[in-house]
């Protein structure tokens, strides 16, 4: 009896001991759960069994994340998307601080309500060097006070993008320029300031390298407008892009004074531009011009063969886009080909004017042996010029033929037989059939991608057959009749590339959103590179014609 009672007491004691241990483990688990919900950097407690005595002892797991230096965490954050960075900033106060201090790009909704939040915003994001301020056209934008306050908080800004900030005036831009003298890239669109603001930027920001201006509404009368430039920034300017300006020729002094200019893009700007390029040529001949220009984009511009002959004096020219310039003919293109021997990329949208054809292309074939990329839209080349291009331009890797009435199966067969180096081919809206696809099956040994769109003679069976014969060839076939004006042969939005800042949703210290990212843009550059996908670095550059008034909206994060 005594033995039984003693045994029962021992069992009860062991059960109580086990229950206590279980409670301890449960409590510890709850504690870890609560701790981890507060911060991932709080250490957790883990139980361990002592084999000798059967007792349990506790030890603390090392917290490696807390040991990471701030610089390492900042490096990790910079490899994350904007959304993930925002989530990380909510983890704990240390992460909030590090994430804010390591954020160099910021895109804000530039409505008038932003002004009260500016001090707290830029106290957290005190290392911003690239800023985008975008306002919806139906909203009141921030004004001079806000821009001046931002310039005081961010004196190290190197890039600024302004979109639809209609309340900004010349005075506000002038104050900004005096506070942010290290600015290197400025892009402004649909703003209402004028010549005085632009001259203030050019005079105070002597390191300015890229200037992009679109729909600047502050200059109404070109004849009476104050000339813009050249200013202190003229020697450092590398890229000038003017788009949709009624008064674009006010920038002539700047273009002429930028001795180290490498890229000039003029899109849909009114006025006769032949005289400007003649002046550029005269200064280049006298040693004071801009012989360093390597890239010129002209779209919907009043320029003739006179202007092209002047451009031919830019002997270092490598990239030329002629889009919807109906006064340009074979004579102007021949002048370019005779003197611009380094030409690598040529885009021509002839607008079906039939003013550029075989003669001009044969001139290119004879004079530009380094040609690597050729895009022809609304141009009617024949087998004669295509054969000459294939024979003389041995480095031709990318070719686009769109909307041509003369490119049929014989021309495709010629390309297949002669273009040995060709890697990417786009054919759109041409009278090509399955016989042309058969020619590609045995030609162009280096071809890796072919895109055929709206060629009614090419069937899905022909595309499938080509895929079977050349397994490694990427064949993109679209036989649909729906007319999608995908993109422009010219890089209609590329002037903003260097200035396109990823948007983000910003929070104050309490995690409350104070300004949403305004990521709406014209989207032409994005659509240009992504939809048709022909020739743009990693993917194809678009080769079909996009409606001018069309646009899409894209949101970028990073």
């Amino acid at each position: 009896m005594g033995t039984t009672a003693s045994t029962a007491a021992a069992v009860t004691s062991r059960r109580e001991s086990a229950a206590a241990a279980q409670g301890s483990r449960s409590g510890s688990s709850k504690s870890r759960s609560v701790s981890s919900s507060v911060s991932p950097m709080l250490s957790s407690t883990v139980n361990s069994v002592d084999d000798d005595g059967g007792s349990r002892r506790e030890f603390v797991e090392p917290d490696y994340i807390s040991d990471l230096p701030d610089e390492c965490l900042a490096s990790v954050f910079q490899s994350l998307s904007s959304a993930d960075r925002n989530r990380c900033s909510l983890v704990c106060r240390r992460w909030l601080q590090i994430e804010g201090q390591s954020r160099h790009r910021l895109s804000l909704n530039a409505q008038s309500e932003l002004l009260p939040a500016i001090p707290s915003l830029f106290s957290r994001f005190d290392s911003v060097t690239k800023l985008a301020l975008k306002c919806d056209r139906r909203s009141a934008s921030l004004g001079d006070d806000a821009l001046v306050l931002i310039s005081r908080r961010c004196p190290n800004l190197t890039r600024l993008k302004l979109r639809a900030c209609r309340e900004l005036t010349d005075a506000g831009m002038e104050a900004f320029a005096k506070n942010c003298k290290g600015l290197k890239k400025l892009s402004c669109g649909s703003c209402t300031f004028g010549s005085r603001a632009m001259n203030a930027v050019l005079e105070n920001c002597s390191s300015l390298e890229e200037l992009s201006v679109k729909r600047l509404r502050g200059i109404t009368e070109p004849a009476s407008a104050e000339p813009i430039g050249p200013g202190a920034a003229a020697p450092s300017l590398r890229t000038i892009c003017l788009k949709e300006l009624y008064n674009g020729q006010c920038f002539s002094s700047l273009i002429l004074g930028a001795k180290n200019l490498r890229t000039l893009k003029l899109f849909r700007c009114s006025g006769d531009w032949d005289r400007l390029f003649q002046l550029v040529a005269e200064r280049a001949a006298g040693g004071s011009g801009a012989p360093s220009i390597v890239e010129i984009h002209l779209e919907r511009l009043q320029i003739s063969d006179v202007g092209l002959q002047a451009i031919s004096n830019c002997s270092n020219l490598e990239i030329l886009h002629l889009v919807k310039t109906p006064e340009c003919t074979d004579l102007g293109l021949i002048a370019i080909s005779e003197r611009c021997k380094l030409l690598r990329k040529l885009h021509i949208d002839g607008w079906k004017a039939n003013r550029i054809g075989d003669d001009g292309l044969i001139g290119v074939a004879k004079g530009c042996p380094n040609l690597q990329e050729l895009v022809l839209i609304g141009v009617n080349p024949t087998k004669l010029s295509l054969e000459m291009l294939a024979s003389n331009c041995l480095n031709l890797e990318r070719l686009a033929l769109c909307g041509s009435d003369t490119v049929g199966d014989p021309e495709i067969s010629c390309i297949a037989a002669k273009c040995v180096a060709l890697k990417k081919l786009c054919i759109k809206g041409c009278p090509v059939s399955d016989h042309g696809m058969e020619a590609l099956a045995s030609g162009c040994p280096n071809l890796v991608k072919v895109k055929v769109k709206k060629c009614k003679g090419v069937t899905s069976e022909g595309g499938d057959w080509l895929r079977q014969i050349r397994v490694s060839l990427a064949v993109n076939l679209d036989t649909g009749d729906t007319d999608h004006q995908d993109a422009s042969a010219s890089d209609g939005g590329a002037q903003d590339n260097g200035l396109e800042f990823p948007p983000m949703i910003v929070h104050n210290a309490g995690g409350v959103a104070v300004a949403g990212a305004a990521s709406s843009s014209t989207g032409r550059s994005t659509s240009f590179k992504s939809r048709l996908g022909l020739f743009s670095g990693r993917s194809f550059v678009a080769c079909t014609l996009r409606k001018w008034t069309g646009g899409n909206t894209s949101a970028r994060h990073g």
Side-chain angles (χ1 to χ4, degrees):
M1 178 74 103
T3 304
T4 303
S6 174
T7 303
V11 170
T12 301
S13 176
R14 284 197 298 272
R15 286 179 179 174
E16 290 175 351
S17 224
Q22 180 66 24
S24 174
R25 287 195 298 271
S26 176
S28 177
S29 175
K30 290 179 181 178
S31 175
R32 288 196 301 273
S33 176
V34 171
S35 297
S36 62
S37 68
V38 174
S39 167
M41 292 175 288
L42 293 178
S43 29
S44 56
T45 303
V46 178
N47 292 323
S48 175
V49 178
D50 187 345
D51 294 335
D52 296 335
S55 60
R56 298 181 182 274
R57 58 188 177 88
E58 298 178 346
F59 67 93
V60 178
E61 278 188 346
D63 181 8
Y64 298 109
I65 294 180
S66 292
D67 293 337
L68 282 177
D70 291 353
E71 294 78 10
C72 291
L73 265 181
S75 179
V76 172
F77 290 157
Q78 292 194 4
S79 66
L80 301 178
S81 68
S82 181
D84 287 338
R85 289 187 66 136
N86 290 336
R87 296 185 186 100
C88 287
S89 68
L90 300 177
V91 169
C92 63
R93 290 180 180 177
R94 181 189 177 216
W95 285 27
L96 176 71
Q97 181 180 8
I98 295 174
E99 193 281 327
Q101 292 175 346
S102 62
R103 175 88 69 164
H104 300 304
R105 298 180 178 225
L106 200 60
S107 180
L108 300 177
N109 189 341
Q111 295 183 7
S112 56
E113 293 83 1
L114 181 65
L115 178 59
I118 288 176
S120 60
L121 270 174
F122 290 97
S123 293
R124 175 185 168 189
F125 302 108
D126 57 359
S127 300
V128 171
T129 58
K130 303 167 188 177
L131 178 64
L133 300 173
K134 305 177 185 180
C135 183
D136 187 276
R137 289 185 175 90
R138 294 166 294 183
S139 305
S141 74
L142 54 73
D144 291 344
D145 292 343
L147 185 63
V148 173
L149 183 56
I150 289 174
S151 68
R152 290 172 179 167
R153 292 275 182 164
C154 303
N156 297 321
L157 272 183
T158 59
R159 299 185 185 184
L160 176 66
K161 181 173 183 177
L162 301 173
R163 286 294 178 270
C165 296
R166 295 174 300 278
E167 304 302 320
L168 295 180
T169 69
D170 290 340
M173 288 297 296
E174 188 173 5
F176 170 86
K178 291 179 179 179
N179 291 333
C180 298
K181 295 188 175 183
L183 196 69
K184 293 184 177 181
K185 298 182 181 181
L186 173 64
S187 173
C188 53
S190 300
C191 296
T192 56
F193 46 78
S195 300
R196 178 184 159 197
M198 299 308 304
N199 281 321
V201 171
L202 293 169
E203 193 59 47
N204 289 281
C205 305
S206 58
S207 299
L208 194 69
E209 297 176 358
E210 294 186 18
L211 177 65
S212 176
V213 182
K214 178 179 178 181
R215 291 197 296 268
L216 186 64
R217 306 182 188 279
I219 310 173
T220 55
E221 296 296 333
S224 59
E226 176 186 352
I228 296 175
S236 63
L237 268 176
R238 300 293 185 270
T239 300
I240 297 176
C241 177
L242 308 178
K243 189 171 184 179
E244 299 180 50
L245 294 177
Y246 174 69
N247 36 49
Q249 294 194 1
C250 293
F251 289 85
S252 296
S253 298
L254 177 61
I255 295 173
L256 292 171
K259 297 181 180 180
N260 297 310
L261 188 66
R262 294 182 62 81
T263 301
L264 177 62
K265 300 179 181 181
L266 303 174
F267 300 94
R268 206 175 185 178
C269 295
S270 62
D272 186 353
W273 290 86
D274 283 340
R275 182 55 184 161
L276 171 66
F277 287 108
Q278 286 179 312
L279 291 174
V280 171
E282 291 174 5
R283 295 202 175 190
S288 60
S292 59
I293 293 181
V294 298
E295 183 174 357
I296 294 179
H297 293 228
L298 307 175
E299 180 171 324
R300 289 198 177 188
L301 211 67
Q302 185 180 339
I303 185 172
S304 67
D305 290 339
V306 174
L308 292 186
Q309 289 173 354
I311 290 174
S312 69
N313 289 280
C314 300
S315 57
N316 293 318
L317 190 67
E318 298 180 12
I319 301 172
L320 176 63
H321 288 205
L322 295 176
V323 179
K324 297 180 180 179
T325 53
E327 296 182 34
C328 296
T329 71
D330 286 328
L331 293 177
L333 188 58
I334 291 172
I336 293 286
S337 63
E338 287 177 348
R339 304 189 66 177
C340 301
K341 302 295 184 181
L342 302 179
L343 197 67
R344 296 183 297 107
K345 298 181 181 181
L346 177 62
H347 290 211
I348 300 176
D349 183 348
W351 218 359
K352 291 201 177 277
N354 288 325
R355 308 202 67 182
I356 294 180
D358 275 347
D359 291 343
L361 294 176
I362 290 174
V364 171
K366 291 179 179 179
C368 306
N370 297 314
L371 194 67
Q372 298 175 359
E373 176 176 309
L374 178 62
V375 175
L376 301 176
I377 300 176
V379 178
N380 292 321
T382 67
K383 184 178 177 180
L384 181 64
S385 58
L386 290 175
E387 188 171 10
M388 184 73 73
L389 284 164
S391 299
N392 290 8
C393 303
L394 301 180
N395 296 319
L396 187 62
E397 297 180 349
R398 300 174 293 278
L399 176 63
L401 303 168
C402 307
S404 173
D405 299 328
T406 59
V407 176
D409 292 335
E411 286 70 28
I412 297 301
S413 298
C414 172
I415 291 171
K418 300 287 186 178
C419 294
V420 179
L422 196 65
K423 294 181 179 180
K424 299 176 182 180
L425 174 65
C426 175
I427 310 167
K428 179 179 178 181
C430 299
V432 178
S433 71
D434 287 343
H435 295 294
M437 298 299 100
E438 293 176 6
L440 291 177
S442 57
C444 298
N446 292 304
L447 195 63
V448 296
K449 184 172 184 178
V450 59
K451 184 177 182 71
V452 181
K453 186 172 184 179
K454 294 179 63 181
C455 297
K456 296 180 180 179
V458 180
T459 65
S460 56
E461 290 78 9
D464 292 339
W465 180 84
L466 181 58
R467 292 187 187 95
Q468 293 175 1
I469 298 299
R470 298 188 66 166
V471 180
S472 61
L473 181 62
V475 179
N476 190 337
L477 178 62
D478 182 0
T479 59
D481 295 331
T482 304
D483 187 9
H484 295 292
Q485 302 291 351
D486 292 309
S488 170
S490 73
D491 204 347
Q495 72 275 12
D496 294 333
N497 284 353
L499 301 178
E500 194 69 38
F501 308 141
M504 60 165 286
I505 298 176
V506 295
H507 300 265
N508 60 17
V512 179
V514 294
S519 57
S520 176
S521 69
T522 61
R524 291 191 180 103
S525 176
T526 304
S527 173
F528 174 78
K529 293 182 179 178
S530 63
R531 287 193 183 179
L532 191 59
L534 183 67
F535 310 162
S536 64
R538 299 180 184 175
S539 62
F540 281 116
V541 168
C543 69
T544 51
L545 193 59
R546 190 168 184 263
K547 293 179 181 177
W548 178 263
T549 56
N552 72 3
T553 301
S554 63
R556 303 182 185 181
H557 301 278

